[in-house]
Amino acid sequence: MAVNETAQVILKELSDKCMQDRQAGFYVAVSGATFFAALIIVLVPRILSAPCVARKQKNIDEKLLVEPSMYINVQNWAGDLISGNTTTGRILVVFTFVCSIVAMGLYIYDTHEFLDLERCVNWKDAITLQIDFALSIVFIFYFIIRFIATDDKVMFMISLESLVDFFTIPPVYLSVYYDRAWLGLRFLRALIFMNLPDVLVYVRVINLSSEIRLTKLCSIFLASVMACAGLCFFLENSGDPWRNYENRHDPYLGYGDCLYYMFITMSTVGYGDIFCVTDWGRIFIIFYVCQALVMFANFLPEIVQLVGNRPRFAGEYEPDGRQFIVVAGNVNYESVQTFLGDFFHPARDDVDVEVVFLNKLEPDLEFEGLLKREHTRVQYFKGSMLNAYDLQRVRCNQAAACLVLANKFSEEPDVEDAANIMRVISLKNYCEDTRVIIQLMMYHNKGYLLNIPGWDWRRDDQAVCLNELKLGFIAQSCLAPGFSTLVSNLVIISSPDLNEVLRPSSHAGDVPKWKRDYFTACNKVILAETLSPTFVGLQFKQVAEICYTQLNLLLLAIEARKYEGGEIYINPKDKVINPNAIGLFMTDSADSAKRAWFYCRKCHANIKSETEVTKCDCKRTAVRHLEKGGRSGTIHRRKNKHNIVEEILDFEGEETADGTKKRNKLPRTATSIDVDGVEQSKMQYDSTGMYHWCPSRGIEECLMDRQDAAMTVLQDHVIVAVFANDDSPLIGLRNLVMPLRASNIHFNELLQVVIVGNVDYLRREWRLLQNLPKINVLNGSPLSRADLRAVKVDMCRMCVILSAKIPSRIEPVLADKEVILTALNVKAMTFVDEDDSLDESDKLNRRNSILGDLMEAEGPVSRAVPIIVDLAFSTNVRFLDDHELHLDDVELYKTLPYAAGQALARGILDSLMSTTYFNASALRLIRSWVTGGATIELELALAEGAGLRGGYTTPSTLKSRDRFRVAQVALQGSVFSKIAEEGYPFGVLFAEASSKYGMLCIGIYRLVVNPRASLEACESDSDSDSDMTRVKKKRRPAQVKGEDPGDTTHDASLRIVISAPNKNMPLEVSDMAFMLVQYQLPVEDLRAPQ
């Protein structure tokens, strides 16, 4: 102990003796001398060479290019070495910055470890001095590289970073040489913090200008305060030289205290607990207060503004293990609310998918509230799909799919489509393998997607064309009224609470039968499921019959595996089921569809209910099923063929009342070849063979006035009433007419199409309609009864009412005013039964005279004209429903006009995006239904912009006709009338149609009896009826069986759609069936023999 105490005393005496002579001035003088010496070395050669440089600059144009010198090459190498464009440069810059931070950290450590600015210490015993010495070597190396790389050496010498090196590096070497550590000016390393923005940009931590500016302000603020705190520490702990350094701050003022003092002084608070005592310190604080106030006043408000304006949704998405999708495009409150409501609908299985929205704008308050409610499964990021950095932020390369939404109310749909297509191109360039589902407005823009190298339908990349599908729904409703509702219900995910929907109300009595029939079947969806091996080798119609009669599943189509081509065969005529085939079913749940996979003929042959079909323990292989099923299928085919021949013989031998033999119409066999041969000479097809085609005609050739239309024979035709201005965006009438011109419809069965509207607008549409036959145009207004009577609206097959006008921003729901007024106008029109004894002129005058209608002795006849309207807003459907009172928030699918197939809305197809994501085959199947057979080849041909092109009649084009089509068959008076009259269930009708005629019955169009009429019930309580009400009551048609004679609300032609009814649902005589019919079987062949 005595030895140690003696050693400590000796060391203290040596230290005191060493510190008696302070060397602070010497350290500062050496640093200054080094700086000025280097500056003179650089400046003198520049001054001496100035005349030569000027002379060379004058003659620079006369000099030839020469090879760069060695110095130039070295300079370029040094520039690349410290450049942020190379990996080496970024590493070097970041490493040097980190070394400066470490040096500053060592300085702060030494200020608190040693309570003096100078201390005598052997550098071998001082760890911090050794580390600082090593860092100085790095700084010298980086200084030399920067010196070589720079062009202006003088400016380099007086730059801030160089000054820091000059006044911090030499004292370190002097400390090692003299064994005397001096803290001195090492605090200047804090100024290197100003390079923080450059470093963060190099490592791509920040990219936005606002982020760079915020980082720069904060780094300047922090570096200045830390440097000033170091200077205060140096001055206060050194003392004044003219006072012999005896007025140092007592007690010792630490660096942390100085830092605290700087912030307090800057804020002008001044607590007085710390203050300067040296003369140098007081002089410094005077200048510091001036500089700090200016910096505080300028920097702080800008920092607050940048922090306040900083995007709240500018982070990066971090996947949590769940699947996620990215949704971009038209992202706003309305579209997102609709999308989320459908995507996370309770009717779907548990959807463990997170939705990431990417949008250029920040959400408004209403939208932000929605995001907060859905925060557990939704995230929102501000950005653009056109920016690869934003795509990387939301991890598009890891997403299960990317969905691009379109603005349905865009004033320029082509521009909207082009923007969405550019988003897809940007995404495919960033990550080609990510699945894309895009919404488009115009059909012809789909061709641009085929030009994208990464677009591949085998990856389930899909384009949902809104106008194509919506107008396709309407077109098929012209052929089979109500079909639009049937197929729309497959898109809408609806699971109505039957207890609530079918609850009887106190003022209206019992729930109408139509509601019970409709709501129990409106929740069907299209689901895919692998067929059981027990079906291998059977024909499609046999499997369809088994699935419906035993499993209560409606099999619509067979989908081949992607490695087999991925084709979808809808109600194929002679298709044999292959192993691993996928069936597309119309059913109500995924659990129901699994029955098709669980079914086994051995274990489930004698089941009484489809709920008993569960996974069995049968271990038979698919090969045994194939052999057994193949033999069984052959027997069935022979038996069916034999039955058809017997029916032909029986029906052809029937005699009529006058003794002559009458050949009844039956499914066409070999005799149809002759008929087709006649048709081939009368019609032409397009180049793909999918549509009827005719040579181009000008619109003037098809244009007619009111007089011409009244004299034209029109019956069972389609009227298309279009509201549009001259500059209204195109709605694509071609998508409405093309399904009506599909080649699988016989030429003599094509419906005449009469378009009523603004001819200037129709001229713009005509370019895409000029090659389609049987089209006429009337330049008029659909609101004019005279124009409607001229085109014989009372004799039409369907009246379609469309609008191409853009909704007003002030009152957007008024966009449907013309459509609603026209629909009500048509419903209110009355017509006269024409007398055959009158000549044509009298008939014309009588038809066009409304006054004559009202003065008829027997009264004019009120016929129900079949109509279908396209609404921009689904809530406006309440104006068309005169049977029930609805509020504004009514759901479209719960209304009678929609259930009857009379109304559609634009938003109804929003659900198709979610449906396509969960089941990619659903969109392909629906497109095949509603477009009449659109193919990739056709889309490529239409993408040329020349419209449909004619083609030669070849076996390949004629083969294209051999595909299914949608038809509507009235059970009464058909070959199925006996089934309906005897009240058999729907399953019997399905089996009969499938086994004998190869038709697929997918729904029922049922007559509505006694619908609820809340509005009319309220009107009946009034004191007296209006004159028009009395006229309507007088014009009621004949009573329908089962109708209450006192009910004035009944519409004898009003029907509702029942999609895929339960197999046990009893049929009614007045029912009409939706059938998928093959080309060789005209609907007329289904009439019952007389």
Side-chain angles (χ1 to χ4, degrees), residues 44-64:
V44 170
R46 182 171 181 175
I47 296 175
L48 297 177
S49 61
C52 299
V53 172
R55 194 180 302 111
K56 290 181 180 180
Q57 186 70 24
K58 184 178 180 179
N59 301 327
I60 190 171
D61 296 334
E62 302 177 1
K63 296 184 64 175
L64 298 177

Side-chain angles (χ1 to χ4, degrees), residues 299-449:
F299 282 18
L300 190 61
E302 188 174 359
I303 291 175
V304 173
Q305 183 180 5
L306 289 174
V307 173
N309 296 336
R310 187 180 181 186
R312 293 173 296 165
F313 306 96
E316 293 188 1
Y317 174 68
E318 297 295 338
D320 57 1
R322 294 182 293 174
Q323 275 193 345
F324 68 94
I325 63 173
V326 178
V327 181
N330 181 43
V331 176
N332 52 45
Y333 174 76
E334 291 78 11
S335 63
V336 169
Q337 185 182 38
T338 303
F339 175 81
L340 293 180
D342 181 78
F343 193 84
F344 295 109
H345 198 282
R348 300 189 188 276
D349 293 339
D350 293 335
V351 180
D352 190 20
V353 179
E354 191 170 14
V355 180
V356 179
F357 290 100
L358 181 65
N359 191 28
K360 193 73 174 177
L361 304 176
E362 290 189 2
D364 55 21
L365 295 178
E366 189 177 23
F367 193 2
E368 191 171 351
L370 174 63
L371 296 175
K372 289 180 180 179
R373 292 192 299 270
E374 302 286 347
H375 72 279
T376 58
R377 52 190 183 184
V378 168
Q379 291 197 39
Y380 188 95
F381 294 92
K382 184 178 178 181
S384 173
M385 283 189 65
L386 300 178
N387 189 338
Y389 173 71
D390 292 334
L391 295 177
Q392 187 272 334
R393 285 172 49 219
V394 296
R395 306 290 190 268
C396 279
N397 57 327
Q398 304 176 25
C402 184
L403 281 62
V404 184
L405 304 180
N407 181 12
K408 300 183 293 295
F409 302 107
S410 174
E411 298 181 4
E412 298 180 347
D414 286 323
V415 176
E416 177 72 11
D417 288 347
N420 285 339
I421 292 173
M422 286 300 300
R423 293 185 177 99
V424 175
I425 294 175
S426 175
L427 176 67
K428 288 296 184 180
N429 287 340
Y430 175 74
C431 47
E432 182 177 327
D433 296 333
T434 300
R435 179 188 176 193
V436 176
I437 304 174
I438 178 177
Q439 265 188 349
L440 295 177
M441 296 295 296
M442 307 304 296
Y443 174 72
H444 58 268
N445 291 325
K446 293 176 65 175
Y448 298 114
L449 294 173

Side-chain angles (χ1 to χ4, degrees), residues 828-843:
M829 290 179 66
T830 58
F831 308 96
V832 179
D833 287 335
E834 296 178 349
D835 189 356
D836 294 338
S837 62
L838 299 176
D839 56 18
E840 292 296 330
S841 60
D842 292 336
K843 290 181 179 181

Side-chain angles (χ1 to χ4, degrees), residues 129-324:
L129 185 58
Q130 296 175 9
I131 298 176
D132 207 9
F133 180 79
L135 295 176
S136 299
I137 297 176
V138 175
F139 297 147
I140 290 177
F141 173 75
Y142 188 61
F143 178 89
I144 294 174
I145 294 178
R146 291 190 297 114
F147 178 80
I148 296 175
T150 186
D151 293 327
D152 193 343
K153 310 296 185 183
V154 177
M155 295 302 299
F156 169 79
M157 287 295 177
I158 60 178
S159 65
L160 179 62
E161 196 168 353
S162 299
L163 291 175
V164 170
D165 290 336
F166 278 120
F167 286 93
T168 56
I169 296 176
V172 174
Y173 290 95
L174 292 176
S175 298
V176 173
Y177 181 78
Y178 290 108
D179 289 333
R180 180 188 292 265
W182 181 62
L183 297 179
L185 303 178
R186 287 168 57 188
F187 62 86
L188 293 177
R189 279 290 160 192
L191 298 176
I192 303 300
F193 275 104
M194 295 183 182
N195 295 335
L196 179 62
D198 299 333
V199 174
L200 295 181
V201 170
Y202 286 166
V203 296
R204 294 183 173 87
V205 175
I206 58 175
N207 294 282
L208 301 179
S209 58
S210 59
E211 295 176 342
I212 297 174
R213 178 60 179 170
L214 178 62
T215 307
K216 188 172 184 178
L217 290 175
C218 293
S219 61
I220 293 175
F221 182 83
L222 182 61
S224 301
V225 173
M226 293 181 65
C228 290
L231 182 57
C232 180
F233 171 81
F234 171 70
L235 296 177
E236 285 297 302
N237 291 300
S238 297
D240 296 323
W242 52 84
R243 297 181 183 271
N244 201 22
Y245 302 104
E246 294 179 355
N247 62 336
R248 291 180 296 175
H249 200 286
D250 191 19
Y252 177 80
L253 190 63
Y255 181 80
D257 297 331
C258 294
L259 195 62
Y260 162 77
Y261 179 49
M262 294 299 104
F263 278 107
I264 294 300
T265 304
M266 179 182 294
S267 62
T268 68
V269 176
Y271 290 115
D273 53 344
I274 299 177
F275 53 89
C276 294
V277 298
T278 64
D279 296 339
W280 276 122
R282 292 171 180 174
I283 295 173
F284 159 73
I285 207 65
I286 293 174
F287 290 99
Y288 172 76
V289 169
C290 298
Q291 179 262 343
L293 289 177
V294 174
M295 185 172 62
F296 187 83
N298 290 333
F299 282 18
L300 190 61
E302 188 174 359
I303 291 175
V304 173
Q305 183 180 5
L306 289 174
V307 173
N309 296 336
R310 187 180 181 186
R312 293 173 296 165
F313 306 96
E316 293 188 1
Y317 174 68
E318 297 295 338
D320 57 1
R322 294 182 293 174
Q323 275 193 345
F324 68 94

Side-chain angles (χ1 to χ4, degrees), residues 951-991:
Y952 294 101
T953 303
T954 62
S956 61
T957 57
L958 294 179
K959 186 178 179 181
S960 300
R961 302 178 303 173
D962 190 10
R963 62 188 191 276
F964 84 100
R965 64 187 177 98
V966 179
Q968 197 173 71
V969 178
L971 300 186
Q972 190 174 14
S974 69
V975 294
F976 309 112
S977 59
K978 187 176 181 180
I979 299 176
E981 291 170 358
E982 297 183 5
Y984 281 101
F986 178 80
V988 177
L989 172 64
F990 185 92

Side-chain angles (χ1 to χ4, degrees), residues 596-877:
W597 170 248
F598 294 151
Y599 180 74
C600 173
R601 281 183 291 176
K602 178 181 179 181
C603 304
H604 305 132
N606 300 319
I607 59 174
K608 297 181 180 180
S609 174
E610 63 272 6
T611 58
E612 300 178 15
V613 179
T614 57
K615 189 174 183 180
C616 63
D617 298 330
C618 184
K619 301 299 182 183
R620 292 179 298 166
T621 62
V623 177
R624 293 180 59 188
H625 284 300
L626 178 60
E627 295 175 355
K628 202 168 187 179
R631 291 192 295 269
S632 177
T634 304
I635 296 173
H636 283 305
R637 287 194 294 272
R638 291 175 181 174
K639 183 178 179 179
N640 292 336
K641 183 176 180 180
H642 180 65
N643 291 342
I644 292 177
V645 173
E646 287 182 350
E647 291 172 1
I648 294 174
L649 295 176
D650 291 341
F651 285 140
E652 287 187 350
E654 186 178 357
E655 292 185 354
T656 59
D658 57 0
T660 60
K661 283 191 175 183
K662 179 180 179 181
R663 184 184 183 278
N664 295 292
K665 293 183 178 181
L666 287 170
R668 296 189 179 188
T669 55
T671 57
S672 64
I673 298 177
D674 299 334
V675 178
D676 289 343
V678 176
E679 290 180 355
Q680 290 176 21
S681 62
K682 295 182 180 180
M683 59 184 174
Q684 291 178 311
Y685 303 101
D686 71 306
S687 57
T688 63
M690 304 301 290
Y691 295 95
H692 291 278
W693 181 88
C694 69
S696 299
R697 300 167 298 160
I699 191 173
E700 288 75 13
E701 301 178 30
C702 304
L703 190 64
M704 57 183 181
D705 55 20
R706 189 181 300 169
Q707 188 73 15
D708 295 336
M711 300 298 295
T712 304
V713 178
L714 294 174
Q715 188 173 6
D716 201 32
H717 56 294
V718 176
I719 298 176
V720 182
V722 182
F723 289 95
N725 298 323
D726 295 347
D727 57 348
S728 296
L730 300 180
I731 58 177
L733 290 178
R734 175 178 62 181
N735 299 123
L736 174 61
V737 180
M738 282 181 61
L740 301 177
R741 298 296 177 261
S743 61
N744 57 356
I745 304 176
H746 293 269
F747 185 80
N748 57 355
E749 296 179 2
L750 295 180
L751 301 178
Q752 186 77 21
V753 176
V754 180
I755 306 177
V756 181
N758 183 356
V759 69
D760 293 328
Y761 170 81
L762 295 177
R763 290 182 194 276
R764 297 162 55 203
E765 292 271 8
W766 188 255
R767 183 177 62 87
L768 302 175
L769 298 173
Q770 59 187 354
N771 295 112
L772 297 173
K774 294 188 178 183
I775 301 179
N776 291 105
V777 177
L778 174 65
N779 183 18
S781 172
L783 285 172
S784 172
R785 288 194 177 187
D787 290 338
L788 295 177
R789 292 180 188 277
V791 296
K792 303 176 179 61
V793 69
D794 58 318
M795 304 175 66
C796 71
R797 177 74 169 268
M798 181 64 67
C799 180
V800 181
I801 308 176
L802 307 173
S803 177
K805 295 185 177 181
I806 299 298
S808 171
R809 296 183 179 180
I810 301 176
E811 196 71 29
V813 293
L814 290 180
D816 295 323
K817 59 182 182 297
E818 291 95 348
V819 174
I820 295 173
L821 292 176
T822 303
L824 298 177
N825 191 22
V826 172
K827 286 183 178 182
M829 290 179 66
T830 58
F831 308 96
V832 179
D833 287 335
E834 296 178 349
D835 189 356
D836 294 338
S837 62
L838 299 176
D839 56 18
E840 292 296 330
S841 60
D842 292 336
K843 290 181 179 181
L844 177 61
N845 294 332
R846 191 172 182 181
R847 174 181 293 274
N848 293 332
S849 175
I850 301 178
L851 181 61
D853 290 349
L854 298 176
M855 296 178 62
E856 284 292 325
E858 298 180 357
V861 178
S862 177
R863 295 192 185 93
V865 177
I867 63 172
I868 181 170
V869 300
D870 174 34
L871 300 174
F873 297 90
S874 60
T875 55
N876 288 332
V877 72

